[in-house]
Amino acid sequence: MNRRDFLKAVGAATGGAVVAGCEPKKGTYKAISPLFPLPEGRIPGEPYYVRTTCTECPAACGVSVRVIDGVPLKLEGTPGHPVNDGSLCIRGQAAITRLYNPRRIRKPMRRKSTGAWEEIDWDQAYGAIIEAVNRARQEGRKNLYLSGRTAGSLGRLIDEFCRKAGFERLPEYEVFDYAALRQANRLVFGIGEVPFYDIAGCDFLLTIGADVLQTFGSPVSQQRQIARARRENGLRWVHAEPHVSLEGLQAQKRLVVRPGSEPHLLSFLLAAYGKSIPGAPPSGAAAVSRATALDEGSLRELAEQLRKASRPLVIAGGVSLGGENGLATAVLCAQLQAAGGMTARLDFGRSLDMGRVGTLKDLQALANRLERGEAGVLFVTRTDPAGTAPDTMRFAERMEKASFRVALADAISATSEKCDLLLPLSHALESAGDAVPHRGLRGLVQPVSEKLLHDTKTEGDILLDLLDEMTAEREFRSYAAYLKEQWRAEFGPGYEPQFSATGYLVRTTARPASPAPKPVPAQALKTAAMPEGPAL
């Protein structure tokens, strides 16, 4: 026997032993039905690709998943997708690791009297919820539903569940809630939304704290737009920030400003356009230099570049909107956008869907209700307020005053640790659903893996199961069936071929006219006192 034949024989023998030893126990895996027919004539071992949507962040990029024998192995951006056009960020690339995360919640789990977790089946979990709901009603407590940002068909199902099951749906909690930006656009333009920023058409971009390459808006789309604008328009990008970031390192010029001094910088730039906003900070170069720690030469150079640009755009966000001067920064940025003729590059027709998202004030109101003992059953799904809310809110501590706490999640978090019951959610690559990256665009979420790795369910299926148990009204046998009915009603009976082939559907909507600015209450421009000192 030669060396090659020997290695083949050893490989076959050891491989067979490994496969036999790794054979899963009966009932470990469950088959998943695809939403749309898979390619015919597939050859075992050859890859095929399935179009779906990344759910790692609200941008909802289109992804093409490389699958071999029903096992997803690699994610790439979908070419031609309106959001990311073939690109995918590192967060999206890593999404598949959550599917195979060994620390995923594998079955429903209930907290024992000792504080430890015990695995239970779904019928036991539903029974515990129904018992707790009935007990809360008898005690006169309110049952509450808190979710992370939700868009598309799932949002409608949650509304339906809350209405029929007697739950109060709370404003959604999202760490990146754009609260100051939405409020500023409401005050200045009368539209409380986060617009799509047309960066590709710009020749000068000033970002103030906005991490446009990382978490702000639609990062992959903005990365591609910046690259295109540099290539086609000779874009010059200046980034002003109080702390070092990827944006500052990638921009042609980085300006370091004192934290909280951004309103002073914007007031100076407004003065360069001959605009004086009542209630804004002083706009003199010397005063602004002292407040921001930028030298007067840099300030004048920036103002000159902005005024001379043919198609400028200024975006404020991120860390610059997170402090006590955040609203003033956002309001003055909106005023600058109007003064500099930039509103044509603010597309509210493609705004980010944040209509259900609340603010920290809403979360504080919930914490106060919990403190007063008003909450009965509290559902917390796809969000982690106990781990991300400010420490002063003491949300984790106050959560314990709800009579029964249920978390819908795929892994243990600070919030789920405070719950009485954990319901495991399927990964997006095991789930049916849809997503709304922005107004007028619907992304398809469909199961890519042919088997469930664990005894998990989608949030939609959990809610339909509970409605069946609580009201005996089961109109749809599964969330996939519910989705298809919603899509058929919204897009018509011929939606399937395009949705399946591309992974998205576009609904053409008329772009609203460029928004006109309105007078802003002086209170919105109130800024904290800035220390004066030498330039940093």
Side-chain angles (χ1 to χ4, degrees), residues 434-496:
D434 57 13
V436 182
H438 56 69
R439 185 175 296 165
L441 179 62
R442 184 69 57 90
L444 170 66
V445 178
Q446 63 173 327
V448 173
S449 174
E450 293 185 2
K451 294 179 180 179
L452 277 173
L453 293 181
H454 310 299
D455 190 11
T456 61
K457 295 189 178 186
T458 67
E459 185 172 353
D461 283 308
I462 292 171
L463 297 183
L464 288 172
D465 288 346
L466 283 171
L467 280 177
D468 185 26
E469 296 283 345
M470 299 169 78
T471 66
E473 298 179 10
R474 182 97 190 203
E475 185 178 356
F476 301 96
R477 56 183 171 79
S478 67
Y479 184 52
Y482 175 89
L483 285 167
K484 288 192 173 184
E485 181 61 31
Q486 295 292 319
W487 295 336
R488 191 176 296 110
E490 186 170 355
F491 302 114
Y495 76 91
E496 290 191 18

